[in-house]
Amino acid sequence: MSAKMRFGAFVGPHHPLNENPTLAMERDLELAEILEKYDYDEVWYGEHHSAGWETIASPELMIAAAAERTKRIMLGSAVSSLPYHHPLMLAERFSQLDHMTRGRAMIGMGPGSLASDAEMMGIDVAKQRDMMDDGIDVMVKLLRGETVTAKTDWFTLNNARIHMRPYTRPRIEMVAASTVSPTGARASGRNGIGMLSFGATSSAAFDALAANWHIAEEVAEANGQKVDRSKWRLVAPMHIAETREQAKKDVEFGIDGWADYLRNVAALPIVPGGGDVIDALLSSNMAVIGTPDDAIAQIRRLQEQSGGFGTLLLFGHNWANWESTKRSYEMFARYVMPEIDEMPDNRKISCDECRASRPELAGKIAAAIQDRIQRHIDERGEKDIAPELIAALPKKGES
């Protein structure tokens, strides 16, 4: 029997420039409470330092604040940009979060998605993935509580260890970011950690899903490690409503600005170029803007293409206004999650069995009621019995 799929949200976040950033960030924290209410499993916050829209600079601060508002939901960074941090300092902060959240903190690790961030810090964009590899390799050891000595061209560790051993044993949940290139898959396999595939529904990343997982498995085997599909997370953009027409109407609120940001500001190859944004997203199968059934079909498509994964993360795109956005998350929880669960649904089994046996059971109930009426009549006559009930009783000699 396969494991139950988990669900969550990736909160970049994506907030347009005409919004109050303070209130938008408050909404990002409120979302963690809402998702916990609807039985989602995890929330991931991003790290960005430029381009205006993605305003969270410290995932750790968001995790700490969200942890105070929630009790169960897991909270992660998606991702912590390793080239921007000395690995010992980053490991220290997440070890502390692991204790503060009683084991609910997770860390996603990547090279940094915005070239403009790296440029401001004088980091060569061409070296970011090499720096990510350096960082992940020691972060895994540090967050296991090991003592590490290492020297690269951008950091040094001398007999270094985190101050407190992690609350979670043997280490907190760790994932490597992956898109199209094999960088994240190789890091995942080399260290035996999870993988988080951004933009999994975009055409290039979708095509690379199975290949990247195969790479992770091969590299893991070569390094004496194991990777687990249940630790593989895929990010997919969806907005759910009662009808496709309503979903399209909802996203008119903000989808054009979102697409412009990703096409022309962030310079990320996520949104198909040209033409109407909604049509481009739907015709390419990159996004779901529709009903729960459309969401279910997209998840099945991802399962088939990837060969299986553990968690689906909904892209926190803010295409619709806040009320419609909350409604979308609620509808997904109510109508999509149960259908994806591969456990036999005993409610449906019971319903089908009762439907098939209804004539027989209804006859038994009617016979039992008629018997009690007849017994009352036999004891006390027809007093207090409605004439309609007496008329409905079988006549003597009738079966």
Side-chain angles (χ1 to χ4, degrees), residues 376-390:
H376 180 84
I377 292 172
D378 292 345
E379 290 178 6
R380 302 189 58 185
E382 297 180 357
K383 181 182 179 181
D384 300 328
I385 299 294
E388 293 83 1
L389 293 176
I390 295 173

Side-chain angles (χ1 to χ4, degrees), residues 223-238:
N223 285 269
Q225 301 281 1
K226 290 184 179 180
V227 287
D228 183 348
R229 285 183 180 271
S230 71
K231 303 297 183 182
W232 188 12
R233 294 163 171 86
L234 270 56
V235 178
M238 299 187 185

Side-chain angles (χ1 to χ4, degrees), residues 33-59:
E33 299 176 80
I34 292 167
L35 295 183
E36 182 169 81
K37 173 184 175 182
Y38 292 135
D39 208 28
Y40 287 78
D41 299 286
E42 46 193 61
V43 183
W44 297 78
Y45 294 108
E47 176 189 353
H48 303 88
H49 305 280
S50 60
W53 278 60
E54 300 178 83
T55 49
I56 292 174
S58 170

Side-chain angles (χ1 to χ4, degrees), residues 167-204:
Y167 181 89
T168 303
R169 305 295 171 82
R171 64 178 182 225
I172 72 172
E173 181 84 7
M174 305 179 76
V175 300
S178 174
T179 49
V180 178
S181 83
T183 306
R186 293 183 62 84
S188 172
R190 191 170 60 252
N191 292 285
I193 61 176
M195 190 162 71
L196 199 163
S197 295
F198 290 102
T201 54
S202 65
S203 113

Side-chain angles (χ1 to χ4, degrees), residues 369-381:
I369 292 171
Q370 290 173 345
D371 178 68
R372 273 306 177 102
I373 294 172
Q374 188 63 57
R375 284 167 59 183
H376 180 84
I377 292 172
D378 292 345
E379 290 178 6
R380 302 189 58 185

Side-chain angles (χ1 to χ4, degrees), residues 86-97:
H86 191 287
L88 179 61
M89 296 298 97
L90 190 61
E92 278 278 83
R93 295 198 294 271
F94 272 89
S95 177
Q96 180 177 334
L97 278 174

Side-chain angles (χ1 to χ4, degrees), residues 214-273:
H214 180 65
I215 290 169
E217 289 181 322
E218 281 191 332
V219 174
E221 184 176 1
N223 285 269
Q225 301 281 1
K226 290 184 179 180
V227 287
D228 183 348
R229 285 183 180 271
S230 71
K231 303 297 183 182
W232 188 12
R233 294 163 171 86
L234 270 56
V235 178
M238 299 187 185
H239 178 79
I240 308 300
E242 285 78 1
T243 65
R244 292 177 180 175
E245 292 72 22
Q246 184 61 52
K248 290 179 181 180
K249 184 177 180 181
D250 287 348
V251 303
E252 289 174 358
F253 175 84
I255 198 168
D256 286 334
W258 172 86
D260 175 71
Y261 167 69
L262 287 176
R263 285 171 173 172
N264 303 313
V265 179
L268 295 173
I270 295 178
V271 184

Side-chain angles (χ1 to χ4, degrees), residues 63 73-77 93-94 96-99 101-107 168 172-174:
I63 291 169
I73 198 163
M74 298 291 290
L75 304 161
S77 64
R93 295 198 294 271
F94 272 89
Q96 180 177 334
L97 278 174
D98 192 35
H99 284 269
T101 62
R102 299 298 194 274
R104 289 197 287 143
M106 308 176 290
I107 181 170
T168 303
I172 72 172
E173 181 84 7
M174 305 179 76

